[in-house]
Amino acid sequence: MTTRTPEELEEKLHYHFKNKELLITALTHSSYANESKTPTLYNERLEFLGDSVLSVVVANYLFHHSTRPEGELSRMRASLVSEDALFQFAQEIDLGSYLRLGRGEELGGGRCRPSVVSDAFEATIAALFLDGGIEFITEGKTAEDDHKTALQEVVQKHPDDRLTYTVTGESGPAHDKRFQVTVALNGKALAVGEGRSKKAAEQQAAKAALTKLEQQA
């Protein structure tokens, strides 16, 4: 598999680094540095910082856009910054294809390994934070962007109502998967969404459900 360039990732992120080395380091796995003939920085220190940055950003977002109690907010934050969630976020920008890996890690499927890709996602967040500040990471994030939260707020008006999200279809090769998710209200299908990750498909399903409920109101 041909590694894509950092410049291509910058285009996808809609951000151009002032210090390009930060991005290159974020995309460099320890296996690449270990096999390099010259001293090479890799992403573990950035991963450490990115984990904290993400936690603060997510906590701040939830605090301002949800009225749920502390216990529920903590569980929501833990879910949003879990390895599985970060891996799915990373898949939305195909982050694995930009990584610099050692030969062994490459042959072992490192570009699709959740632990490797989610760590690189955290490192990339840290690189963005160091180069562009917290404002860039949070820029444009409004309650309306999170359709699942918005839909949950609507449903909460009726305490007995329950939402469920189910993957009802998958297509495409492993490196370019497409998912179809159906959101149901009390077991009855409400809307369908599609995306390059399960999370993205869920958001699209929630968005479609919100539109449907608004039309029925």
Side-chain angles (χ1 to χ4, degrees), residues 155-210:
V155 171
Q156 281 182 180
K157 295 175 183 178
H158 304 283
D160 293 332
D161 285 349
R162 293 289 181 270
L163 287 170
T164 55
Y165 293 85
T166 306
V167 176
T168 49
E170 293 184 26
S171 62
H175 68 278
D176 190 25
K177 280 275 189 182
R178 300 286 300 185
F179 295 90
Q180 181 186 79
V181 167
T182 298
V183 57
L185 179 61
N186 299 326
K188 183 178 180 181
L190 189 59
V192 176
E194 294 186 357
R196 293 189 63 183
S197 73
K198 294 175 185 176
K199 294 289 185 183
E202 288 174 356
Q203 287 288 347
Q204 290 304 310
K207 182 179 181 180
L210 283 167

Side-chain angles (χ1 to χ4, degrees), residues 3 21-36 38-47 95-96 98-121 123-124:
T3 306
E21 288 303 313
L22 280 171
L23 178 58
I24 292 173
T25 301
L27 299 174
T28 303
H29 188 256
S30 58
S31 62
Y32 182 95
N34 291 338
E35 294 180 15
S36 176
T38 58
T40 301
L41 293 175
Y42 55 95
N43 62 15
E44 285 187 359
R45 281 174 54 83
L46 285 174
E47 173 202 337
L95 187 62
Y98 299 93
L99 301 185
R100 298 204 298 175
L101 304 175
R103 179 173 173 77
E105 190 66 42
E106 177 82 63
L107 294 175
R111 293 189 189 281
C112 298
R113 197 189 311 281
S115 59
V116 171
V117 179
S118 62
D119 287 351
F121 183 82
T124 301

